[in-house]
């Protein structure tokens, strides 16, 4: 049973455009929802994260939108740049030394 | 910020041999460390959770006798792949959760294991 479903699997966006990646979760005990960026051969790096008590969080060009009732959250990358080309993973976890559960990832390509 | 150092970054070993991967939390104490495996173009799959001073908890389908995890101190956890086979070739990543910092996950840079 996949606990975190991520879409799309791949995404091509023009430079300057908006990249949108979506995730849905099933376990209502999850209360932490981060997004990670991973480049080939590297470990994942935290981009931005949100808790269920807010519906949106923005950090620079990155925004998380969170819909608790729908059990969905999304990442928006504004003014996408070629350097943003990477694989993005959504994840979820709950309190108490529990591991992150990852979505399957989205390969983003930003083309000039 | 919190840093997790993972070594080696790449290793090639012969089939049947064992390989040890180390993860160290450099500037914080990690009561819990998580080990993930990532096959090419796939997601991170949790292998096991280790808590300092106790036995690791393995996910279903992960052979505990093949993937030995030791978390002997608050700053070091090791994963030993025993009797490695080509199908064990993968990217192994550790993650440490900082003591007293909920959701303070810090990832290592990963180890690319190739078994020939």
């Amino acid at each position: 049973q996949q606990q975190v479903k991520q879409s799309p699997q791949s995404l091509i966006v023009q430079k300057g455009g908006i990249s949108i990646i979506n995730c849905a979760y099933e376990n209502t005990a999850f209360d932490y929802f981060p997004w990670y960026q991973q480049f080939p051969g590297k470990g994942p790096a935290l981009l931005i994260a949100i808790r269920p008590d807010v519906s949106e969080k923005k950090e620079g060009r990155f925004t998380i939108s969170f819909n608790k009732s729908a059990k969905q959250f999304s990442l928006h990358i504004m003014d996408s740049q070629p350097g943003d080309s990477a694989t993005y993973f959504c994840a979820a976890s709950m309190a108490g030394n529990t591991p992150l559960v990852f979505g399957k990832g989205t390969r983003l390509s930003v083309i000039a | 910020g919190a840093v997790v150092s993972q070594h080696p970054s790449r290793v090639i070993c012969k089939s049947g041999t064992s390989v040890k991967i180390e993860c160290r939390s450099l500037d914080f104490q990690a009561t819990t460390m998580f080990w993930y495996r990532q096959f090419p173009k796939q997601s991170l799959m949790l292998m096991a959770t280790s808590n300092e001073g106790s036995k690791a908890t393995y996910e279903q389908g992960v052979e505990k006798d093949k993937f030995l995890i030791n978390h002997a101190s608050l700053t070091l956890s090791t994963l030993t792949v025993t009797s490695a086979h080509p199908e064990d070739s993968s990217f192994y990543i550790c993650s440490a959760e900082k003591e007293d910092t909920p959701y303070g996950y810090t990832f290592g840079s990963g180890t690319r294991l190739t078994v020939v």
Side-chain angles (χ1 to χ4, degrees), chain B residues 47-62:
Chain B
M47 298 177 66
T49 299
S50 72
N51 291 293
E52 185 264 338
S54 62
K55 289 186 178 181
T57 303
Y58 291 82
E59 294 300 298
Q60 191 173 10
V62 178

Side-chain angles (χ1 to χ4, degrees), chain A residues 37-84:
Chain A
Q37 178 188 59
Q38 187 180 34
F39 292 104
K42 304 293 183 184
L46 178 65
L47 264 181
I48 187 171
I50 199 167
R51 299 290 308 281
D53 52 344
V54 297
S55 60
E56 186 174 282
K57 184 175 181 180
K58 182 176 181 179
E59 290 182 0
R61 296 186 295 113
F62 303 97
T63 300
I64 296 181
S65 296
F66 184 80
N67 186 328
K68 188 175 181 178
S69 60
K71 294 187 288 185
Q72 296 175 345
F73 59 109
S74 61
L75 175 69
H76 291 60
I77 305 175
M78 312 300 286
D79 187 26
S80 299
Q81 299 296 314
D84 296 330

Side-chain angles (χ1 to χ4, degrees), chain B residues 17-37:
Chain B
T17 62
S18 296
V19 172
K20 181 185 284 189
I21 301 169
E22 286 190 354
C23 266
R24 291 182 184 274
S25 55
L26 297 186
D27 50 0
F28 66 99
Q29 293 188 323
T31 51
T32 305
M33 284 201 180
F34 306 103
W35 287 94
Y36 293 85
R37 179 168 52 184

Side-chain angles (χ1 to χ4, degrees), chain A residues 1-20:
Chain A
Q1 181 186 17
Q2 188 183 350
Q3 294 196 63
V4 181
K5 294 183 179 180
Q6 183 172 346
S7 63
Q9 188 174 352
S10 63
L11 181 62
I12 299 174
V13 173
Q14 292 275 359
K15 179 181 175 182
I18 303 174
S19 303
I20 302 174

Side-chain angles (χ1 to χ4, degrees), chain B residues 1 4 8 16-17 32 41 47 58-59 63 76 86-87 90 113 115:
Chain B
V4 171
T17 62
T32 305
K41 298 185 180 181
M47 298 177 66
Y58 291 82
E59 294 300 298
E63 301 174 58
L76 175 65
E87 57 265 30
S90 188
L113 170 64
V115 185

